[in-house]
Amino acid sequence: MELGSNLDPILPPPEDPTVSVLVFEPLYSVAAQIPEVDRRHVVAAAVSDRSGLSMFTMYNDDGLSSSLATVSVSDKWNSGRDTDGKRLIVPCVALKDVLQDIPTATSIWVLKTDMQGFDFRTVQSVGSLITRIPYLITEVSHDNFHSYDGLSNVSRVIPYQTGPFFC
């Protein structure tokens, strides 16, 4: 499962026809550009800690670095681009709901997140359901840098990497 894929989501392994990939990309215009691949399913929606409609701000080309959050004024990467500030309303689904909708008989081997600041908040929101997923690939900030206002993916994620939630 991949959350916030942009144009290059993970692929199912060609040698194992029993594996599928579920991809979430909040921008419909970007999701529509993702090439169709057998056993890769693309959902045009954001994933977060809650379901509903959310305001989504575009940053950079093809919506790269777009977020449900507001970019921090100290972040030079996400400012000064043509698409900066364009705001859209996108459907948002809670990760907890997604995990509960996938039958427990179905294994979820990896969760890859690139959610522009919402990674930790979203993963934390599922509580013990995270134990269904043995591998987590997530974006974190370095030196306590905050790309998006009010969100942190650094010091708060460390206990989850070493605690009972990770196998």
Side-chain angles (χ1 to χ4, degrees):
M1 188 177 333
E2 182 170 357
L3 313 179
S5 67
N6 202 259
L7 291 171
D8 191 26
I10 55 180
L11 294 166
E15 71 280 357
D16 188 349
T18 67
V19 176
S20 292
V21 177
L22 183 58
V23 174
F24 289 86
E25 168 50 50
L27 294 171
Y28 177 79
S29 60
V30 173
Q33 294 179 60
I34 296 172
E36 288 187 32
V37 173
D38 284 342
R39 298 178 287 113
R40 180 168 69 188
H41 310 280
V42 179
V43 180
V47 178
S48 186
D49 57 335
R50 63 173 193 80
S51 294
L53 296 175
S54 294
M55 192 60 69
F56 194 78
T57 306
M58 289 183 65
Y59 299 107
N60 299 315
D61 296 332
D62 291 320
L64 193 64
S65 301
S66 296
S67 182
L68 295 170
T70 302
V71 71
S72 170
V73 293
S74 63
D75 186 333
K76 303 300 182 213
W77 169 254
N78 290 324
S79 59
R81 306 291 201 299
D82 290 340
T83 57
D84 282 357
K86 182 176 181 181
R87 295 172 59 89
L88 307 164
I89 296 173
V90 298
C92 195
V93 295
L95 179 56
K96 187 174 191 171
D97 294 341
V98 173
L99 294 177
Q100 288 174 335
D101 285 345
I102 297 172
T104 55
T106 300
S107 298
I108 307 170
W109 280 99
V110 64
L111 173 63
K112 179 181 177 192
T113 69
D114 189 356
M115 302 170 69
Q116 308 315 116
F118 272 81
D119 307 70
F120 175 73
R121 180 172 159 175
T122 301
V123 169
Q124 182 188 36
S125 73
V126 303
S128 64
L129 284 175
I130 198 67
T131 60
R132 289 189 65 188
I133 309 168
Y135 299 100
L136 175 64
I137 302 168
T138 188
E139 182 178 62
V140 295
S141 302
H142 181 65
D143 290 337
N144 213 24
F145 181 77
H146 302 284
S147 294
Y148 300 89
D149 289 338
L151 299 170
S152 173
N153 281 340
V154 184
S155 58
R156 296 174 64 195
V157 78
I158 292 171
Y160 285 82
Q161 292 175 318
T162 58
F165 290 122
F166 286 84
C167 304

